[in-house]
């Protein structure tokens, strides 16, 4: 007996990863029966990472939130009552209108980040409703703020080549980045390059999956990357290995940078970083004389208090050796600067009141417990985020969420650590159940996500909730009530008029083809191939006029993070520098409740060097207390020389509710801000580790 062929829907992985994979969902009788990678996509190439491969498990989970819920017991007690959407919306509108009448809309704080990276479900949701309301702005600086600010100050745009161009590289420096876990579709291209003779150097305190297959692995002390980069520059300048003609023609401030770098000779840098002086000299010579040379980095390296200056230093290196504008050379960081959107079409800012204030998301706990005043935060609306699991100083966040006078609404797929403390929980769609458009930051394609199945229960998308809230609040502006397709079409049309990279890209084409390449010409295909940089000088700004105008050091510099200095000043000699890098099976805290992925990732752990373990009488596999002045958590010890002495690693991502004592590593991470753009400082963290009694 013949059966109908399944219907196939093209989509995109929505998670915070540079690969932005193209997916296909097969549907039979209204049910998604298969989910897999698009074999025709030039980057995805028919395979998905370990995180996303079992996505149908998530979509069909019995633990999905399906109906609006109202809290009926104490906050955090897990006592809920099902209510209707009408009741939920009416409750929100009444509470918000009362708050606005008494305190002003600034007392309402929307909190979101990268639970999905879609243009509609995140970017428009972030901009339109809250702008019309006049709610507090959110400085979304938890991930990449310092790096983005550094790139704009130095290069003027986040432009990068596709992964495939690494095949042209003769040398690749992978600096503070573990693409095998956080951007795995780069790795097959790197393997092809290695087979052809490309030399790969990984610079990372931890022996990561990526480092294991490198030709050379340098393990600097955390937060000393800026000093190491300046040390490489000192050798390059001192030995005359810099490309002076290129610097003279295409850079601003190279002589000042040479003077700054002269304070970082190899012996001095060796004392700061722990990297032998001979190794520093050899790497500088290799980088200066092997071309094309590619420096590939990501956001983890700048999550230090000195993270802005670290990134500024890294950005200067390709200029010294004339590698910007060279295929296979230069910088591989982000392609996110190509598909930019018309700001007015996206936000309708001209029709909204001024943003009354901006609260840095890294300071959420502080804001909820008294730092935000005049007015205090009286309502929190959380979507695309789980701050109790993924934001710094989580214990302080929990303290704030327990305020009885704080009205908290969480729109989510599952009952997260944050949803546990909500007054109302609203059920959200997954990627298979709504429409969206995705741009990547690792490759140069746009991808349309078709809704493949009807949402289960009463789940609604972010955009549909935004439209319902606008209606409940009495806002009549048409741009608050457009369908997802209408909103996308309008933004694409307006953006296409001024952005040549969007030439020929229409909503209809995206819907038909699924994946559409951005438009490049021979002159624009290589990042900065014309050697014109959209900076004030039109050159690579090694000495940045933008930084100077803000009262900041215009040249890269190295300063030790305050937390390290303070620990030493207090005579604390037994602290470890803790890095909370990415988990292999989670995307930050996304997917970290999925049983199969939790089983693969294993129990939350901390890696500690054998010498540090012996000093503390810690055995492999034992439970340990990890603590500092902010809080503590209990993890299982992994004694390993994958980390150097004095350094520990506890990957981020595990939810508190699935961890011992319902705490994860973010009970210890600092909520201090970095030297640039309000960046988070997760990795500038001193902890003290001891066996569980």
């Amino acid at each position: 007996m013949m059966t109908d062929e399944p219907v196939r829907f093209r989509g995109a992985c929505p998670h915070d990863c540079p690969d932005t994979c193209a997916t296909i969902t097969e549907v039979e009788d209204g049910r998604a029966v298969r989910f897999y990678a698009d074999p025709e996509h030039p980057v995805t190439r028919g395979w998905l990472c370990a995180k996303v491969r079992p996505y149908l498990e998530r979509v069909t989970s019995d633990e999905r939130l399906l109906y609006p819920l109202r809290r009926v017991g104490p906050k955090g007690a897990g006592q809920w009552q099902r209510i209707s959407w009408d009741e939920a919306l009416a409750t929100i509108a009444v509470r918000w209108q009362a708050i606005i009448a008494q305190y002003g809309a600034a007392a309402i704080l929307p909190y979101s980040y990268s639970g999905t990276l879609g243009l509609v479900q995140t970017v428009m949701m972030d901009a339109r409703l809250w702008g019309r309301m006049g709610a507090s702005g959110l400085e979304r600086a938890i991930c990449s703020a310092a790096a983005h600010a550094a790139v704009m100050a130095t290069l003027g745009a986040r432009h990068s080549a596709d992964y495939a161009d690494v095949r042209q590289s003769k040398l690749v420096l992978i600096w503070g980045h573990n693409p095998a876990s956080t951007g795995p579709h780069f790795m097959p291209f790197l393997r092809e390059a290695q087979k052809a003779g490309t030399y790969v150097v990984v610079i990372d305190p931890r022996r990561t999956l990526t480092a294991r297959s490198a030709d050379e692995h340098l393990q600097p002390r955390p937060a000393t990357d800026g000093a190491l980069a300046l040390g490489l520059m000192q050798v390059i300048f001192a030995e005359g290995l810099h490309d002076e003609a290129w610097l003279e023609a295409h850079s601003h401030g190279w002589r000042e940078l040479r003077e700054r770098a002269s304070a970082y000779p190899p012996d001095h840098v060796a004392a700061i970083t722990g990297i032998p002086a001979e190794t520093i000299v050899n790497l500088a010579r290799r980088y200066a004389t092997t071309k094309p040379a590619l420096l590939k980095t990501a956001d983890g390296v700048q999550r230090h208090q000195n993270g802005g200056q670290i990134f500024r230093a890294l950005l200067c290196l390709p200029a010294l050796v004339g590698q910007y504008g060279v295929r296979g050379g230069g910088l591989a960081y982000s392609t996110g600067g190509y598909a930019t959107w018309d700001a007015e079409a996206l936000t309708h800012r001209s029709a909204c009141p001024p943003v009354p204030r901006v609260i840095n998301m890294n300071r959420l706990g502080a804001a909820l417990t008294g730092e935000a005043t005049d007015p205090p935060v009286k309502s929190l609306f959380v979507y695309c985020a789980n701050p109790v699991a993924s934001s710094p100083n989580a214990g302080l966040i929990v303290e704030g969420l327990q305020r009885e006078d704080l009205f908290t609404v969480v729109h989510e797929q599952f009952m997260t650590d944050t949803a546990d403390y909500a007054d109302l929980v609203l059920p959200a769609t997954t990627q298979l159940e709504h429409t969206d458009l995705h741009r990547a930051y690792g490759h140069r394609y746009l991808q349309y996500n078709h809704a493949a199945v009807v949402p289960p229960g009463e789940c609604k998308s972010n955009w549909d909730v935004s439209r319902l809230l606008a209606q409940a609040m009495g806002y009549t502006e048409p741009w608050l009530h457009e369908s997802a397709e209408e909103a996308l079409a309008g933004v694409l049309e307006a953006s296409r008029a001024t952005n040549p990279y969007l030439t020929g890209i229409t909503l209809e084409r995206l819907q038909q083809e699924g994946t559409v390449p951005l438009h490049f010409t021979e002159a624009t295909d290589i990042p900065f191939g014309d050697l014109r940089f959209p900076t004030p000088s039109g050159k690579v700004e090694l000495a940045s006029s933008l930084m100077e105008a803000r009262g900041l050091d215009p040249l890269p510099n190295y300063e030790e993070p305050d937390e390290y200095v303070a620990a030493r000043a207090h005579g604390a000699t037994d602290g470890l520098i803790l890095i909370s890098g990415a988990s292999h099976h989670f995307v930050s805290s996304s997917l970290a409740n999925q049983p199969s992925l939790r089983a693969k990732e294993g129990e939350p752990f901390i890696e500690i060097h054998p010498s540090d373990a012996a000093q503390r009488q810690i055995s492999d596999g034992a439970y340990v207390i990890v603590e500092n002045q902010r809080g503590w958590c209990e993890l299982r010890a992994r004694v390993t020389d994958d980390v150097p002495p004095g350094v520990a690693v506890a990957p981020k991502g595990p939810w508190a509710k699935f961890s011992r004592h319902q705490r994860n590593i973010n009970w210890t991470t600092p909520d201090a801000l970095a030297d640039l753009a309000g960046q988070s400082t997760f990795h500038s963290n001193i902890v003290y580790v001891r066996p569980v009694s």
Side-chain angles (χ1 to χ4, degrees):
M1 182 177 180
M2 297 291 292
T3 59
D4 292 335
E5 286 288 317
V7 181
R8 293 174 175 82
F9 293 88
R10 293 185 180 275
C13 175
H15 293 293
D16 193 355
C17 167
D19 295 356
T20 314
C21 288
T23 63
I24 295 175
T25 303
E26 293 187 1
V27 177
E28 293 180 354
D29 299 324
R31 292 175 52 252
V33 294
R34 286 190 69 207
F35 177 83
Y36 54 94
D38 186 346
E40 298 177 3
H41 190 278
V43 174
T44 306
R45 301 204 292 184
W47 62 278
L48 296 174
C49 71
K51 306 172 181 71
V52 177
R53 199 177 305 129
Y55 194 74
L56 283 188
E57 216 178 272
R58 183 173 189 82
V59 173
T60 61
S61 171
D62 292 338
E63 296 181 359
R64 285 279 302 272
L65 291 168
L66 300 178
Y67 306 99
L69 301 173
R70 178 174 57 202
R71 177 175 63 87
V72 294
K75 289 196 174 188
Q79 298 172 20
W80 305 96
Q81 178 185 59
R82 177 179 166 181
I83 59 175
S84 68
W85 269 100
D86 287 344
E87 186 176 355
L89 293 164
T91 299
I92 295 169
V94 168
R95 291 292 296 270
W96 281 357
Q97 287 163 350
I99 289 169
I100 292 169
Q102 183 173 358
Y103 299 98
I108 300 169
L109 176 64
Y111 189 100
S112 66
Y113 201 62
S114 60
T116 174
L117 295 183
L119 178 60
V120 177
Q121 306 300 340
T122 300
V123 183
M124 283 191 212
M125 173 72 179
D126 290 346
R128 292 191 181 183
L129 175 64
W130 314 122
R132 169 62 181 85
M133 186 183 296
S136 280
L138 184 72
E139 188 173 7
R140 293 179 171 86
I142 201 167
C143 179
S144 55
H148 286 193
V151 169
M152 297 307 291
T154 311
L155 304 177
R158 286 181 289 126
H159 289 176
S160 190
D162 269 323
Y163 290 165
D165 275 9
V166 74
R167 296 164 175 158
Q168 309 299 319
S169 307
K170 299 302 181 185
L171 172 66
V172 179
L173 266 59
I174 301 178
W175 201 315
H177 179 27
N178 179 23
S181 291
T182 61
H185 284 79
F186 171 72
M187 297 305 291
F189 297 101
L190 182 65
R191 294 284 180 262
E192 293 176 40
Q194 286 179 291
K195 289 177 182 177
T198 300
Y199 192 88
V200 175
V201 180
V202 169
I203 302 173
D204 196 307
R206 184 191 192 200
R207 186 186 296 124
T208 61
L209 285 174
T210 305
R212 291 178 189 278
S213 60
D215 296 287
E216 190 175 351
H217 178 207
L218 278 60
Q219 293 179 278
R221 295 189 184 103
T224 66
D225 304 83
L228 178 57
L230 284 160
L232 297 177
M233 294 182 214
Q234 192 277 340
V235 175
I236 291 170
F237 278 126
E239 297 190 1
L241 300 174
H242 59 290
D243 189 334
E244 188 163 328
W246 195 99
L247 289 168
E248 194 65 32
H250 306 299
S251 76
H252 170 74
W254 74 268
R255 289 180 175 82
E256 294 92 329
L257 180 61
R258 179 173 61 184
E259 179 65 25
R260 174 63 56 84
S262 68
Y264 293 86
D267 288 343
H268 177 53
V269 173
I272 295 172
T273 64
I275 303 297
E278 182 182 3
T279 302
I280 295 168
V281 172
N282 289 340
L283 180 59
R285 291 170 178 167
R286 184 185 292 275
Y287 181 65
T289 58
T290 308
K291 300 178 180 180
L294 181 70
L295 194 162
K296 180 169 173 56
T297 189
D299 293 317
V301 73
Q302 45 93 67
R303 291 178 191 146
H304 283 287
Q305 190 177 33
N306 57 8
Q309 287 289 31
I310 287 175
F311 224 81
R312 283 269 294 129
L314 298 187
L315 295 171
C316 292
L317 280 167
L320 261 65
V321 293
Q323 286 296 285
Y324 282 117
V326 175
R327 191 177 298 280
L331 175 75
Y333 168 58
S334 171
T335 61
Y338 291 117
T340 55
W341 312 115
D342 181 271
E344 179 62 20
L346 190 68
T347 67
H348 291 266
R349 172 50 56 194
S350 65
C352 300
V355 178
R357 67 176 176 192
V358 177
I359 292 175
N360 189 300
M361 67 187 310
N362 297 306
R363 301 288 296 171
L364 177 62
L368 295 179
T369 56
E371 183 172 86
T373 59
D374 195 28
V377 176
K378 303 297 288 186
S379 181
L380 186 69
F381 189 95
V382 181
Y383 59 102
C384 290
N386 182 11
V388 172
S390 59
S391 295
N393 204 356
L396 193 61
I397 295 173
V398 170
E399 180 183 332
L401 289 173
Q402 289 176 319
R403 281 174 35 202
E404 284 301 326
D405 66 330
L406 178 70
F407 176 57
T408 301
V409 182
V410 174
H411 184 213
E412 255 298 351
Q413 299 167 0
F414 295 88
M415 190 64 73
T416 64
D417 293 334
T418 306
D420 286 340
Y421 294 95
D423 296 285
L424 291 178
V425 177
L426 308 176
T429 49
T430 67
Q431 185 73 348
L432 271 56
E433 300 151 6
H434 58 234
T435 295
D436 218 333
L437 177 63
H438 293 262
R439 68 177 180 189
Y441 59 94
H443 60 71
R444 306 194 298 191
Y445 296 84
L446 288 182
Q447 286 160 218
Y448 188 82
N449 187 78
H450 289 271
V453 294
V454 174
E458 296 177 6
C459 294
K460 297 186 185 299
S461 70
N462 290 344
W463 183 244
D464 285 342
V465 170
S466 174
R467 297 196 298 168
L468 289 169
L469 288 171
Q471 183 179 357
M473 294 294 288
Y475 303 148
T476 58
E477 289 83 354
W479 42 270
L480 292 171
H481 302 280
E482 293 175 319
S483 68
E485 292 81 3
E486 290 169 335
L488 281 174
V491 171
L492 278 167
E493 182 177 359
S495 303
R496 198 168 50 243
T498 57
N499 186 345
Y501 298 110
L502 299 175
T503 300
I505 300 177
T506 63
L507 179 64
E508 293 74 21
R509 183 182 172 195
L510 285 160
Q511 290 173 324
Q512 180 178 356
E513 298 178 26
T515 295
V516 174
L518 296 173
H519 178 75
F520 290 91
T521 65
E522 185 176 346
T524 61
D525 185 53
I526 299 173
F528 309 112
D530 58 2
L531 297 178
R532 297 176 182 175
F533 299 85
T535 61
S537 65
K539 301 178 179 182
V540 178
E541 297 224 340
L542 306 176
S544 168
S545 57
L546 291 176
M547 298 275 284
E548 188 171 25
R550 297 173 194 162
L552 302 172
D553 192 336
L555 292 165
N557 200 3
Y558 167 72
E559 290 186 13
E560 191 176 16
D562 289 345
E563 179 135 340
Y564 302 0
V565 175
R568 191 167 54 250
H570 286 88
T573 59
D574 59 341
L576 300 175
I577 300 173
L578 185 131
I579 299 172
S580 47
S583 299
H584 186 73
H585 294 94
F586 312 144
V587 185
S588 189
S589 66
S590 292
L591 309 174
N593 65 316
Q594 201 159 313
S596 66
L597 297 180
R598 286 174 54 210
K600 290 177 180 178
E601 186 67 20
E603 193 171 6
F605 62 89
I606 182 169
E607 294 178 339
I608 183 171
H609 189 270
S611 64
D612 291 322
Q615 180 182 340
R616 293 161 178 79
Q617 298 183 314
I618 294 169
S619 59
D620 186 52
Y623 288 111
V624 295
I625 297 293
V626 182
E627 60 190 344
N628 57 21
Q629 70 275 20
R630 287 174 289 272
W632 61 273
C633 65
E634 190 173 308
L635 302 172
R636 189 181 287 277
R638 290 187 181 177
V639 179
T640 173
D641 61 3
D642 284 349
V643 296
V647 176
V649 171
K652 65 181 178 179
W655 289 12
K657 67 170 59 184
F658 300 127
S659 304
R660 292 174 69 83
H661 305 288
Q662 297 193 325
R663 293 166 178 248
N664 69 11
I665 197 60
N666 278 326
W667 259 252
T668 74
T669 51
D671 55 5
L673 303 181
D675 57 349
L676 189 61
Q679 173 64 46
S680 63
T681 58
F682 285 103
H683 302 328
S684 293
N685 185 20
I686 300 290
V687 298
Y688 304 88
V689 184
R690 57 182 171 84
V692 172
S693 300

